[in-house]
Amino acid sequence: MPLTHSAGKKFGERWIGAWNSHDLEIIMSLYDEQIVFQSPFIIKLANVYPDLTIRGKENLLDYFKKGLEKYPYLQFNLERVQVGISSIVVSYTSLKEGVLYHSAEFMDLNEAGDKCIACKCHYEPSLLPSSSGINAEYGGCCCCSSLTYY
């Protein structure tokens, strides 16, 4: 049965709330045991995955733990949740060191719609002008806050 719009939206909102709580137990409850997670920023925190893919919940937990330790002020600001047949895209922003990150996480969900079975992360940075009045000292994505983009 296809994912309903409300169930997909609710999962995306729970995902943002879990990350903003910094509670690894809550965060990890949203991922399947056999999760396949891809991010261009894996190399920054876990340089042991040459294909930039983490497989399995335990490996993903280690990666997220490193990210939350490195970026204790992590906060995501939800922009939208787009719902597909059995997947969602969560679009959000985060701030770190004067850089605003526009991010989107493509998530395949299990049949029940309560666990992510595959995730592909996408990021785009943009510099904030110093006159923006935004305090960018805190926040940021656990994966991409101090990256060089090519």
Side-chain angles (χ1 to χ4, degrees), residues 33-38 49 51 53-60:
E33 290 296 326
Q34 303 302 313
I35 181 70
V36 176
F37 181 89
Q38 294 181 320
Y49 301 99
D51 64 351
T53 302
I54 296 174
R55 291 172 179 81
K57 198 170 182 175
E58 286 301 314
N59 293 327
L60 190 60

Side-chain angles (χ1 to χ4, degrees), residues 12-77:
E13 292 167 351
R14 280 194 358 251
W15 185 86
I16 290 285
W19 275 102
N20 286 343
S21 78
H22 294 212
D23 185 322
L24 279 168
E25 187 174 328
I26 295 171
I27 294 168
M28 295 311 296
S29 74
L30 300 174
Y31 294 91
D32 187 77
E33 290 296 326
Q34 303 302 313
I35 181 70
V36 176
F37 181 89
Q38 294 181 320
S39 172
F41 305 112
I42 287 172
I43 198 165
K44 285 302 217 183
L45 293 174
N47 195 9
V48 294
Y49 301 99
D51 64 351
L52 302 180
T53 302
I54 296 174
R55 291 172 179 81
K57 198 170 182 175
E58 286 301 314
N59 293 327
L60 190 60
L61 172 62
D62 291 340
Y63 173 69
F64 288 165
K65 189 180 216 181
K66 287 177 186 174
L68 288 174
E69 287 170 358
K70 186 167 183 172
Y71 302 105
Y73 299 106
L74 168 73
Q75 287 294 297
F76 294 156
N77 300 301

Side-chain angles (χ1 to χ4, degrees), residues 133-144:
I134 296 174
N135 180 355
E137 179 67 23
Y138 301 107
C141 175
C142 68
C143 310
C144 57

